[in-house]
Amino acid sequence: MENGAARTAPAVIVAIDGPSGTGKSSTSKAVASQLGLSYLDTGAQYRAITWWMVNNGIDLTDPTAIADSAGKAEIVSGTDPANPTISVDGVDVAGPIRTQEVTSKVSAVSAVPEVRARITELQRSLAAEAEHGIVVEGRDIGTTVLPDADLKIFLTASPEARAARRSGELKGADVQATREALLKRDAADSSRKTSPLAKADDAVEVDTSDLTLQQVIECVVTLVGEKRAAK
Ligand SMILES: Nc1ncnc2c1ncn2[C@@H]1O[C@H](COP(=O)(O)OP(=O)(O)OP(=O)(O)O)[C@@H](O)[C@H]1O
Ligand SMILES: Nc1ccn([C@@H]2O[C@H](COP(=O)(O)O)[C@@H](O)[C@H]2O)c(=O)n1
């Protein structure tokens, strides 16, 4: 180190992927906050473009119609883990993108290659801009968006654990119906041709079924520390 310059932690790129309800958002946000990193929820971006298409009457059963309008909405993501934001054409859509309607339609939109190309470009530029590094969570971050990430995590959990977590969050929604909806979305996301939900070969798999959220956060923070120490 020259001139006694203080040693600062090297910037680090962390990719966290996995099926729905495995704890990606909760874990990523907490890890990013704890380590002073940026945070990007890529699912929110796919939900935002879906919300725009629903609002603009695009036929979501027609992949050509989806592809033709893939570039029309301006999607902006704020990457502060204490206040992640998402807007479409200047409108804050953090609430509207969580409706049942958007949740049930997002997989049809995210399967279209033109949509993925557009959103992937946004994700890569946000990751490149993050001064101290970033935690990016989604389905294809380790495999496609950031294949050179310093650390790749693939979170899993049993369908039962995930359904119980989600129905608790949805204030007592039927656990069985929630389980079916989660599995249906995972099946669609895993079977699409373009960058399906998948574990990267070099990802660390963490089964969160029997872990508390705090334990998962600690596990990821430890893994990031190890990667940083080796840089
Ligand atoms: N290890 C855990 N133990 C118990 N509850 C958890 C755990 N991890 C996350 N949760 C809870 O499970 C719910 C789903 O978590 P979260 O939204 O982080 O999952 P996700 O993988 O990002 O889901 P999605 O892909 O559908 O957005 C939240 O209510 C969260 O608080
Ligand atoms: N990298 C990603 C992230 C998300 N998707 C699609 O968005 C949907 C919503 O994701 P949530 O994390 O908010 O539940 C998800 O079901 C995928 O269809 C994606 O394709 N790639």
Side-chain angles (χ1 to χ4, degrees):
M1 235 182 302
E2 282 176 23
N3 304 327
R7 183 186 286 276
T8 51
V12 68
I13 304 275
V14 182
I16 302 193
D17 291 299
S20 306
T22 50
K24 299 181 301 296
S25 300
S26 325
T27 304
S28 302
K29 230 182 293 180
V31 168
S33 287
Q34 217 165 302
L35 299 178
L37 307 178
S38 299
Y39 159 69
L40 179 61
D41 175 355
T42 63
Q45 298 177 310
Y46 285 103
R47 288 171 178 273
I49 198 164
T50 303
W51 175 87
W52 183 92
M53 290 192 187
V54 169
N55 260 27
N56 284 273
I58 309 300
D59 178 1
L60 299 187
T61 64
D62 177 2
T64 305
I66 295 174
D68 287 348
S69 55
K72 292 187 179 164
E74 193 205 6
I75 294 169
V76 177
S77 299
T79 58
D80 175 355
N83 181 32
T85 56
I86 180 90
S87 69
V88 179
D89 296 338
V91 176
D92 175 0
V93 292
I97 62 168
R98 304 287 163 192
T99 60
Q100 198 45 48
E101 183 179 21
V102 171
T103 301
S104 65
K105 293 179 171 163
V106 63
S107 295
V109 174
S110 70
V112 174
E114 288 78 0
V115 169
R116 299 207 73 79
R118 166 101 200 292
I119 300 286
T120 297
E121 193 185 320
L122 281 178
Q123 294 162 353
R124 288 183 178 147
S125 55
L126 287 166
E129 281 164 17
E131 193 185 346
H132 302 292
I134 190 165
V135 182
V136 184
E137 53 117 339
R139 303 292 190 289
D140 64 336
I141 311 305
T143 54
T144 304
V145 178
L146 300 168
D148 297 327
D150 297 293
L151 175 65
K152 300 178 187 177
I153 307 280
F154 194 77
L155 295 184
T156 63
S158 68
E160 291 68 32
R162 296 190 282 137
R165 292 172 188 173
R166 271 275 176 256
S167 54
E169 206 178 35
L170 300 172
K171 299 191 178 52
D174 178 68
V175 180
Q176 193 56 27
T178 306
R179 181 181 184 279
E180 298 314 314
L182 282 173
L183 293 178
K184 190 175 167 202
R185 191 146 62 96
D186 289 347
D189 292 340
S190 305
S191 62
R192 68 177 173 236
K193 285 210 178 80
T194 310
S195 2
L197 158 66
K199 175 182 172 292
D201 291 341
D202 52 350
V204 178
E205 184 165 334
V206 180
D207 183 344
T208 70
S209 307
D210 298 318
L211 299 177
T212 64
L213 177 56
Q214 199 48 44
Q215 287 172 321
V216 182
I217 295 164
E218 278 164 23
C219 167
V220 177
V221 166
T222 301
L223 291 169
V224 175
E226 288 170 6
K227 286 289 174 186
R228 273 181 153 164
K231 266 191 147 191

